[in-house]
Amino acid sequence: MIRERRIRESSEPAGGERPGARAPTRAQVVRSALLCVAAIAASAPHDALAQVGDPAEACEAGRISNIFVDNRSIYEINDDDPFRWVYRLINALHVNTRAGFILRELLFSEGDCLDPLLLEESYRILESYGFIGRADIYPVAQPDGTYHVVVDTQDRWTTQFDLGVSFDQGLQLDRLNLTEANLLGRGVRAEVFAQRRREQRTQGFRLQEPRLLGTRTDANLGWGRTRSGNFVELGLNYPFVGEVGRVAMRQIYDRRDRVFTYSAADDPDFTNVLLPYRDEWAEVSMAGRLGRPGNLTLLGLGLTRERIVFRRFPDELEVVIDNDFGNTMAATSQVQDLISGQTRARSTTRVNLMIGQRNLRFTRVLGLDALDGAQDLRLGTDLGLTVGRSVGLFSAEGVPSPDDIFGRARLYAGHDLSSSFVFAAAAVEGRRLRGEDNDWRDVIGEIDLYSYLRSERIPGQTLFLRASAAGGWSMDSPFQLTLGGRDAVRGFAEEHSPGGRRLLLTVEDRIFFNWPWPDLIDLGLTLFADAGRVWSGDVPYGVDSGWEAALGIGLRYSLPAGSRRGGRIDLAWPLGAPPHHGPVFRFTLLELLGIGPGVKDLQLERTRRTRTGPDFLVTELGR
C-alpha cells in the first residue's frame, strides 16, 4: 500500500486528466479488410507513442536505468501456514504471466526519461487484464540520479471450469465454460462455452490474442451454434492505448443468428414470443487523437456495413408456454401481424465520421462497486458524435438498401464530491430517411445518473442512487423494454410490464462488514428499494404500468478478498402486487448495478444495430 500511494502521488498529470461491374463477394470483402488492417497494425508503433526520448536529451526527473519485473504466482506461502502444501501445489500447476509479456505492455523502456504519467498508464493496462490480480509500478531513486522501476504483479488462477448456476425465477444453469485466460503465460485467452439462459442456447469457442505479430493489436476469433443457427466473429483491434495512444484502428466482422424475445405480459395463453433473425455487421475504422492527456480531441473515419434479415418470418415465429423456453409452439396469424412491424429487413453500407472530446482524469478508490477492491474512476467529461451517410456499395439481393443518414451522440461525465461521486451518461441515436419519406426511424435514447454518497464518519457504508430512463421510437428493428429483471425493478420477473419507454429509480445502502474472514472473502449487506414505470409506446404487447416498486435485502461478496469483481444474493418483495407475485430470490455471480459494470442499459444493447463511434475505439478487445 505504501508503494501504491507513492506512485499515485507522483503520477497525477498536470491539468487532470465504429448497375455496373459485379460487386465482390462478402468473403472477399472480409478477407481484404483483415489483410489490410493486419498490415497496418504490424507496422504501427509497438509502444503507442510511449514518448521515448533521445538518449542524449536531458531528463528533468531523471532517466530509467533498469526495469525489474517481479511476476509472482497466485499465493505467497508462509512456512507456518497449515495449508502451505495446497498453495504450493496450486502455484506449481499455474503458469506465471511471462516477464516478457509484462515488459511489452509497459509504455516505457530502459533509457527513457522517467514520466509518472506513463507509469500510471502502464499500471492501468496491466490491471485491465483479468488474469493479473494485483499490480504495482514504482520508481526507486539511485545514487547516480537515475531510477530503477519495479513492476510488481501477482497472478490469479486462470484455468476456469465455470458451472454458471443462478437462482433467478427458479434454479438455472446459465453457462458451462472451460477457459484458460492466460495460455502459457502469454495473455492468450482460449474459451469453450455453452450458455443456456431463457431463450439463449449457444455453444462455441473463442480465441483472443492481445499481441498479434508482436504489436498491440488485439485479435479475436469465435465460432459456434445458437438457438436459431450459428455465429462467427472476427476482429482486429489496435486501440487507443490508455491516455497516451494517438492512433486507433479496428476491423470487425460479426454474423450471428439471433432470437429476440418479446414479453407477452398479460396474454393468457403464452408468456413470450421468439423472433429469429440474422444480424450481420462489418466495420473498418481508423481514428487519431490530438492534444495531451486530460484534453484529447478525436477525429475518425470508417466504413461500416450492417444487414438484418428475417427470412424465417413468419414460418418460425414461436410462442413460449408458461416461461418454459423449451416448451414452444408456432405463433398464430394474430401474433404474426402484431410482430410484423418490427421485421423490416435492410442492408446498409455507410461512411462514418467520428468526432470526440475527452477531458478525463483518473482516481483510484476502494469499495464502490467492489466491496474492498481498488477501482479506477473516470472523472471529467467525454463526448462523442458519429454521423454516417449511406452509400450504394455491396447491396444484397432481395434486401432493401435505404438511403439514410445515421447519427449518434453520447455524453459521459464524472465528478467527485470529496469522498462521494456522481456520474452521468446519455446517448441518442437514429436514422433519418432521405427522399419521399424523410422521417426518423429506429430512434433510441437513454440517460443514466449514478451517485455514490459516503462519509468519513461512517466508514464502510455507501449509499448508491440510480435514475435511468430509456426508450425507443419508430422502431423498424426488434425492440421492447420490460420493468422487471435483475437490473430493473428486482421484485418482478423479467417479463413483467413490457413497453417502449421506461423510467427506473433505485436507492441502495451498501454496508461492508470486513468480517468474519477478511483475508479470505469480502462480505457486505445491502438494503435496497426499486421503483419504476413503463409506457406502452409503439412496441408489441406494450402496456402503461403506472408506478410499481419493490423492497429487498441482499448479501454482496468478493472472492478472494480485495477482488475488483463480485456477486450478490438478493431477495426482493414487490409492493402492491397481486397475491401470486411473491418475493423473487436471485443469486448472481456478478454485480449488475454501478459504474464498474458499466453505465448502459442491457435491454437497449440487444437492439442497437450500429456499433461504431469514439467510445468503441478505447477499450482493448478481451479486457
Side-chain angles (χ1 to χ4, degrees):
M1 295 303 294
I2 294 175
R3 292 179 298 184
E4 289 184 359
R5 189 179 303 114
R6 177 163 61 246
I7 187 60
R8 284 200 298 269
E9 291 173 352
S10 65
S11 62
E12 195 79 18
E17 332 233 283
R18 137 181 160 40
R22 183 177 179 181
T25 66
R26 186 180 304 114
Q28 290 172 326
V29 173
V30 174
R31 189 182 304 114
S32 299
L34 280 167
L35 292 174
C36 175
V37 176
I40 295 173
S43 63
H46 290 204
D47 290 331
L49 291 181
Q51 302 178 8
V52 177
D54 185 343
E57 179 186 357
C59 294
E60 180 178 345
R63 195 173 297 279
I64 299 172
S65 55
N66 284 288
I67 299 174
F68 297 96
V69 175
D70 184 7
N71 51 329
R72 292 175 289 133
S73 192
I74 301 169
Y75 290 106
E76 296 183 6
I77 302 172
N78 299 319
D79 291 337
D80 57 349
D81 195 318
F83 297 103
R84 59 186 179 276
W85 67 272
V86 178
Y87 299 152
R88 286 197 180 101
L89 177 61
I90 294 174
N91 284 348
L93 294 174
H94 172 74
V95 179
N96 283 12
T97 303
R98 293 178 179 268
F101 176 85
I102 294 172
L103 285 170
R104 286 192 296 271
E105 290 297 311
L106 303 179
L107 298 176
F108 53 87
S109 304
E110 292 182 359
D112 292 353
C113 294
L114 181 70
D115 187 335
L117 173 62
L118 297 185
L119 270 63
E120 185 73 8
E121 290 297 312
S122 298
Y123 159 83
R124 272 194 285 272
I125 290 173
L126 291 177
E127 284 232 323
S128 69
Y129 284 103
F131 52 81
I132 294 180
R134 294 181 179 87
D136 192 9
I137 301 177
Y138 57 94
V140 179
Q142 301 301 303
D144 62 357
T146 65
Y147 285 87
H148 291 177
V149 175
V150 179
V151 182
D152 185 2
T153 67
Q154 184 173 9
D155 282 359
R156 283 197 175 102
W157 180 257
T158 58
T159 303
Q160 302 168 358
F161 179 75
D162 187 359
L163 189 64
V165 177
S166 70
F167 197 96
D168 183 353
Q169 298 171 234
L171 184 66
Q172 300 186 40
L173 178 63
D174 285 355
R175 64 189 179 276
L176 182 67
N177 283 35
L178 178 60
T179 304
E180 172 51 57
N182 188 13
L183 188 64
L184 299 177
R186 299 179 181 273
V188 177
R189 182 182 182 90
E191 180 180 11
V192 179
F193 58 88
Q195 297 177 345
R196 184 183 179 92
R197 184 177 186 275
R198 291 169 54 84
E199 79 281 2
Q200 296 180 25
R201 303 288 189 273
T202 305
Q203 308 89 38
F205 77 90
R206 184 174 291 114
L207 188 65
Q208 297 176 335
E209 161 65 84
R211 278 287 182 173
L212 184 65
L213 302 178
T215 72
R216 287 189 179 272
T217 301
D218 296 323
N220 178 53
L221 169 65
W223 180 87
R225 299 284 301 173
T226 69
R227 183 183 183 118
S228 60
N230 55 54
F231 73 88
V232 59
E233 53 188 46
L234 301 169
L236 291 173
N237 182 29
Y238 186 93
F240 289 120
V241 181
E243 296 299 292
V244 299
R246 295 295 184 178
V247 177
M249 58 197 76
R250 74 174 189 173
Q251 182 279 326
I252 294 175
Y253 176 73
D254 191 309
R255 190 195 70 211
R256 199 169 299 259
D257 291 314
R258 301 181 183 270
V259 173
F260 190 91
T261 302
Y262 293 93
S263 168
D266 299 328
D267 195 292
D269 299 321
F270 52 87
T271 54
N272 304 88
V273 179
L274 303 181
L275 171 64
Y277 66 99
R278 170 164 288 186
D279 189 4
E280 193 170 14
W281 173 262
E283 174 187 355
V284 177
S285 295
M286 300 180 64
R289 293 200 297 204
L290 307 172
R292 59 177 178 79
N295 185 12
L296 293 168
T297 301
L298 179 146
L299 298 173
L301 189 66
L303 182 70
T304 59
R305 172 175 165 78
E306 63 177 276
R307 180 171 173 264
I308 179 172
V309 293
F310 303 86
R311 290 179 176 173
R312 300 180 183 180
F313 179 84
D315 298 336
E316 296 191 15
L317 187 70
E318 297 179 306
V319 296
V320 176
I321 309 301
D322 195 25
N323 286 312
D324 181 359
F325 286 85
N327 182 13
T328 63
M329 59 183 296
T332 64
S333 58
Q334 290 85 353
V335 176
Q336 295 171 6
D337 292 341
L338 187 62
I339 302 297
S340 62
Q342 293 190 353
T343 60
R344 296 172 182 170
R346 68 176 182 272
S347 174
T348 308
T349 302
R350 293 192 183 94
V351 175
N352 302 288
L353 174 65
M354 294 171 281
I355 304 173
Q357 181 62 39
R358 185 178 175 92
N359 298 89
L360 294 178
R361 61 184 177 89
F362 293 83
T363 187
R364 197 167 306 142
V365 299
L366 294 176
L368 285 190
D369 297 312
L371 282 92
D372 198 35
Q375 189 174 345
D376 273 349
L377 301 181
R378 298 182 300 153
L379 302 179
T381 58
D382 189 7
L383 299 88
L385 174 66
T386 303
V387 178
R389 176 70 168 88
S390 62
V391 294
L393 296 175
F394 314 127
S395 58
E397 184 178 354
V399 182
S401 297
D403 183 8
D404 64 19
I405 295 177
F406 170 81
R408 178 174 184 262
R410 65 167 190 87
L411 163 68
Y412 168 88
H415 183 65
D416 59 331
L417 305 168
S418 183
S419 59
S420 300
F421 301 91
V422 178
F423 302 93
V428 61
E429 64 180 63
R431 302 183 298 120
R432 185 171 180 83
L433 302 178
R434 294 168 55 86
E436 295 181 1
D437 293 328
N438 198 33
D439 62 349
W440 286 95
R441 308 297 301 175
D442 292 313
V443 178
I444 300 174
E446 59 183 313
I447 183 169
D448 297 275
L449 299 173
Y450 287 3
S451 298
Y452 298 83
L453 306 180
R454 304 197 296 183
S455 172
E456 296 179 356
R457 299 178 180 178
I458 313 176
Q461 191 161 350
T462 302
L463 186 65
F464 171 74
L465 308 175
R466 173 187 67 159
S468 298
W473 293 262
S474 303
M475 299 300 299
D476 288 342
S477 302
F479 178 80
Q480 188 192 65
L481 302 172
T482 62
L483 187 60
R486 297 187 294 179
D487 57 346
V489 180
R490 286 168 279 184
F492 295 95
E494 293 191 31
E495 293 79 15
H496 186 71
S497 294
R501 291 123 210 185
R502 182 181 66 189
L503 177 63
L504 296 172
L505 302 174
T506 294
V507 178
E508 183 165 307
D509 190 8
R510 299 176 174 179
I511 305 168
F512 174 49
F513 290 150
N514 198 27
W515 174 88
W517 308 288
D519 296 330
L520 176 65
I521 186 172
D522 293 331
L523 291 174
L525 177 71
T526 178
L527 305 171
F528 60 86
D530 297 325
R533 66 178 301 172
V534 298
W535 292 264
S536 59
D538 54 0
V539 304
Y541 300 103
V543 299
D544 294 316
S545 68
W547 283 99
E548 298 189 271
L551 296 176
I553 184 171
L555 180 70
R556 303 173 69 232
Y557 63 90
S558 293
L559 184 69
S563 297
R564 300 189 302 273
R565 300 172 179 87
R568 56 190 299 155
I569 303 171
D570 290 334
L571 185 63
W573 289 265
L575 300 181
H580 64 280
H581 284 264
V584 176
F585 176 78
R586 288 189 172 94
F587 168 56
T588 58
L589 298 176
L590 68 164
E591 176 62 71
L592 294 168
L593 295 180
I595 196 71
V599 184
K600 60 182 178 182
D601 191 305
L602 297 179
Q603 291 193 359
L604 287 186
E605 291 300 311
R606 65 177 182 160
T607 295
R608 181 167 286 118
R609 304 262 71 81
T610 300
R611 302 183 292 275
T612 189
D615 49 326
F616 295 113
L617 291 167
V618 176
T619 304
E620 298 195 41
L621 191 151
R623 302 292 173 85

